[in-house]
Amino acid sequence: MNNIDLASVDWARAQFALTAIYHWLFVPLTLGLAVIMGIMETIYYRTGKEFWKEASVFWQRLFGINFAMGVATGIILEFEFGTNWSNYSWFVGDIFGAPLAVEGIVAFFMESTFVAVMFFGWQKVSRGFHLTATWLSGLGATFSAWWILVANSWMQYPVGCQFNPDTMRNEMTSFADVALSPFAIDKFCHTVTSSWIVGAVFVVAVSCYFLLKKKHEELAKKSIHIAAMVGLAASLLALYTGDESAYKVAQVQPMKLAAMEALYNGSESQGLTVIAAVNPFAQPDYANEEEAPLKLEVPCMLSVLATRTVDGYVPGINDLINGYTDEKTGRTELPLSEKIERGQKAIAALQAYRKDPQANAGLADEIAANMPYFGYGFVRSAEEIVPYVPICFYAFRVMVGLGSLFLLFFAVLLFLTLRKDIAGMKWLHWAGIAMLPLAYVCSESGWIVAEMGRQPWTIQDMLPTWASVSNIASAEVMTTFFIFLALFTGLLVVEVSIMCKQIKNY
Amino acid sequence: MSLIGRIVNFYVEGFRGMTIGRTLWAVIIVKLIIIFLILKLLFFPNFIGEHADEGGEAEFVFEQVVGNRE
């Protein structure tokens, strides 16, 4: 590898994380509000009551503000690929490009067409056509999310591709394998259902504000009722899809699972850690500690989640470094030393092949055979392949903890809206408003677990971050990081103020 | 009116009738100008396009990733 400034790796990662976190403030609300306003408009279509039309228009206006503010924030990520992550961008080739291209086309045509009908068409098209446009706007946004998540899932679990040593790119061998990767399906289902929770919490929070201010009480109460149903259903679905996602992670990214659980040494009948005193500011001494201190766990539960058996073996960080064979399933994990050896073989074969491709044509097979371990050829020590445990551990608990809180909250809320008049329950109104920032924290935490747990890889096992980044000065990346910080902060202030003004003046 | 005329009219009237939409479009346009005319042009060049010869991108990436590796 050329003399890449390692600080630029950190700044490029920080910049990408900042941009992605900012972008993800808008996406879940778009996906979630789309469902709720679609339900409201469906009720209007079926009953013909003007109340439901007004309710739909109100929530569509807030949807529009969020949608407009989120426009183009994702494009910045693509700029960063081309400038900061050029080695990675080239290396992934058309596999990453194809889903993103489909997403761009679908997003542009589907959303621009149907969103326009949704906003401009109330007096101009039939109720049925308008309702169709509303649902298709949401479906278009969800379909866009699908392709983005397909691209992301390929980085977590690269399938349907073959590395071409002549072009230095991974080339797609099966579009179906990439687009319908089981990892992508689970990720999509979990991401979308958890986004519905964000939408439901948003509707509850705004409605609770109205109830506190004693404004639009009918709109608020009926909106809360619908949001509680959507939120409860979404929470149950997110619980199921989250479990499926975790199971997939256990199969294809066991190091991520070990970091999420702060599991240093694995065992059969492994317990699920509820909480432990993991130092939040330092990587634990996993090589010498038996387990995280003050650990409180649910017996056997991690084995159930990761292997679907009570006595299944779940490897810890040290097992994944030293290698292991599970006697029951026959699953074998090579020791790191062997993975490094195979990665170095792939690199050496690639170097020889590229010097004289015709004379060394036979080396193409050796490259292909060792390509799944290519990234390990850049690894020099075990520490480099272990994700930062404290962030993975706590972000996972924040996500699961808040997800459980929302499940309880929506169940209570639905019960209350069915049995009582909630207009006078101030404690409930304040609780509903307090849930809103927590919903965003929960949603962002999910991404932090997914992406921090993938470290150090940009493409799992095939390319580490330090081989993916462009050879640029860290000062350049640092400069754009702070420009983005200022820009995103400014835009967020504008968005929140426009949104708040609309809600206050309604 | 033809179908195309009706579609154009639909959008024109829609944009004319906007209230909050005008503010949103102003924000979107400012944002797009910042993103495409300032950030993209000044801060986000295509790194490989700038540093590699045309047709030599693969060799460039090879050198960057593993070429001079010890």
Side-chain angles (χ1 to χ4, degrees):
Chain A
M1 196 165 66
N2 276 333
N3 303 314
I4 284 178
D5 179 0
L6 285 179
S8 64
V9 178
D10 292 336
W11 279 111
R13 285 180 60 203
Q15 189 183 90
F16 201 89
L18 174 73
T19 315
I21 286 172
Y22 175 70
H23 180 57
W24 192 251
L25 290 175
F26 305 104
V27 180
L29 187 55
T30 299
L31 299 176
L33 263 186
V35 173
I36 290 174
M37 66 193 198
I39 291 171
M40 287 185 178
E41 198 178 328
T42 304
I43 299 173
Y44 167 62
Y45 176 79
R46 292 175 68 92
T47 63
K49 288 182 181 168
E50 277 300 302
F51 167 81
W52 288 110
K53 181 181 172 185
E54 284 171 26
S56 304
V57 170
F58 171 70
W59 292 112
Q60 282 173 9
R61 193 175 299 158
L62 300 188
F63 172 90
I65 294 168
N66 180 67
F67 187 84
M69 292 301 153
V71 164
T73 52
I75 289 173
I76 300 171
L77 293 168
E78 296 192 31
F79 293 171
E80 290 172 28
F81 281 135
T83 302
N84 301 342
W85 301 96
S86 61
N87 293 340
Y88 160 83
S89 295
W90 185 267
F91 198 80
V92 298
D94 58 347
I95 292 168
F96 214 71
L100 291 184
V102 176
E103 189 272 335
I105 293 165
V106 169
F108 183 79
F109 287 106
M110 203 160 171
E111 290 173 38
S112 61
T113 304
F114 295 114
V115 165
V117 174
M118 192 171 79
F119 287 115
F120 300 158
W122 277 109
Q123 312 299 333
K124 295 182 171 35
V125 297
S126 70
R127 271 166 40 186
F129 188 76
H130 193 278
L131 176 66
T132 308
T134 298
W135 277 112
L136 286 177
S137 297
L139 192 66
T142 309
F143 204 48
S144 288
W146 169 265
W147 293 110
I148 295 294
L149 293 168
V150 162
N152 178 274
S153 296
W154 187 84
M155 296 161 72
Q156 318 270 352
Y157 179 49
V159 288
C161 64
Q162 187 169 20
F163 179 72
N164 183 339
D166 293 313
T167 61
M168 283 294 291
R169 308 188 94 156
N170 278 288
E171 293 172 357
M172 199 182 292
T173 52
S174 167
F175 182 74
D177 283 354
V178 174
L180 300 173
S181 149
F183 202 96
I185 291 169
D186 283 331
K187 199 175 188 67
F188 170 79
C189 293
H190 189 53
T191 306
V192 170
T193 51
S194 61
S195 296
W196 295 347
I197 297 175
V198 174
V201 171
F202 178 82
V203 170
V204 168
V206 173
S207 302
C208 283
Y209 168 78
F210 284 153
L211 290 178
L212 272 178
K213 293 285 173 186
K214 301 194 182 304
K215 287 165 67 181
H216 315 294
E217 288 195 2
E218 190 185 3
L219 168 73
K221 286 195 281 187
K222 289 187 173 167
S223 296
I224 287 175
H225 184 64
I226 288 176
M229 285 192 287
V230 171
L232 183 60
S235 298
L236 290 168
L237 287 169
L239 186 70
Y240 172 73
T241 55
D243 172 65
E244 287 293 313
S245 285
Y247 177 69
K248 284 286 182 312
V249 165
Q251 307 308 305
V252 303
Q253 293 179 303
M255 185 62 92
K256 181 192 278 186
L257 184 74
M260 281 158 59
E261 279 296 303
L263 181 63
Y264 311 148
N265 299 293
S267 69
E268 294 178 351
S269 304
Q270 183 65 54
L272 178 73
T273 304
V274 177
I275 195 65
V278 174
N279 183 348
F281 306 109
Q283 185 77 318
D285 184 12
Y286 49 81
N288 297 310
E289 283 182 26
E290 189 57 36
E291 62 175 27
L294 303 174
K295 192 172 173 179
L296 178 66
E297 64 178 26
V298 182
C300 303
M301 200 59 192
L302 188 60
S303 286
V304 173
L305 293 176
T307 68
R308 302 300 193 223
T309 57
V310 176
D311 58 351
Y313 179 79
V314 184
I317 292 171
N318 294 321
D319 307 299
L320 293 163
I321 290 170
N322 300 325
Y324 73 92
T325 299
D326 183 349
E327 303 289 340
K328 284 182 189 158
T329 62
R331 177 176 172 153
T332 297
E333 186 79 23
L334 297 180
L336 176 63
S337 55
E338 198 172 329
K339 289 180 183 174
I340 289 174
E341 196 180 309
R342 291 189 64 172
Q344 286 175 342
K345 266 188 193 172
I347 290 173
L350 179 65
Q351 286 172 318
Y353 176 87
R354 286 195 63 87
K355 272 186 188 158
D356 190 347
Q358 285 181 338
N360 296 311
L363 288 175
D365 290 339
E366 190 171 337
I367 296 169
N370 293 302
M371 203 60 204
Y373 301 95
F374 186 78
Y376 288 95
F378 300 93
V379 173
R380 295 180 185 214
S381 66
E383 293 79 47
E384 289 181 346
I385 65 155
V386 181
Y388 191 60
V389 171
I391 288 185
C392 298
F393 180 79
Y394 286 112
F396 181 60
R397 267 138 202 88
V398 166
M399 177 185 72
V400 174
L402 289 176
S404 307
L405 175 68
F406 296 139
L407 181 61
L408 184 68
F409 176 69
F410 285 125
V412 170
L413 197 57
L414 187 58
F415 175 80
L416 291 175
T417 55
L418 285 171
R419 295 291 178 92
K420 295 186 177 184
D421 182 3
I422 59 167
M425 298 179 178
K426 281 199 170 181
W427 64 271
L428 185 69
H429 308 157
W430 283 112
I433 293 170
M435 289 291 161
L436 186 57
L438 298 181
Y440 282 97
V441 169
C442 181
S443 192
E444 298 283 7
S445 294
W447 275 109
I448 289 170
V449 173
E451 300 310 304
M452 287 300 289
R454 177 165 47 90
Q455 298 304 314
W457 311 108
T458 50
I459 307 169
Q460 184 72 37
D461 297 340
M462 285 174 73
L463 205 64
T465 50
W466 56 92
S468 308
V469 81
S470 306
N471 193 2
I472 49 178
S474 58
E476 287 179 33
V477 194
M478 189 176 67
T479 304
T480 45
F481 173 88
F482 286 109
I483 289 173
F484 282 171
L485 191 61
L487 177 68
F488 294 159
T489 306
L491 283 172
L492 197 59
V493 169
V494 170
E495 197 238 11
V496 172
S497 61
I498 292 174
M499 187 78 90
C500 289
K501 201 174 162 189
Q502 276 299 305
I503 295 166
K504 271 185 186 171
N505 296 341
Y506 180 66
Chain B
M1 196 185 286
S2 68
L3 180 65
I4 293 174
R6 282 165 59 197
I7 291 171
V8 170
N9 197 39
F10 175 83
Y11 277 92
V12 169
E13 284 187 15
F15 280 113
R16 268 197 200 136
M18 287 190 308
T19 50
I20 180 67
R22 289 177 198 276
T23 311
L24 296 178
W25 273 107
V27 174
I28 289 172
I29 289 166
V30 168
K31 188 164 62 173
L32 290 176
I33 288 171
I34 292 172
I35 289 174
F36 285 100
L37 296 183
I38 300 175
L39 293 179
K40 176 64 184 159
L41 291 182
L42 299 181
F43 297 104
F44 286 97
N46 179 340
F47 185 81
I48 293 176
E50 281 203 343
H51 292 82
D53 298 329
E54 203 173 329
E57 292 90 349
E59 187 58 24
F60 176 77
V61 172
F62 168 73
E63 288 296 330
Q64 290 287 309
V65 177
V66 294
N68 296 335
R69 200 168 170 280
E70 290 163 15

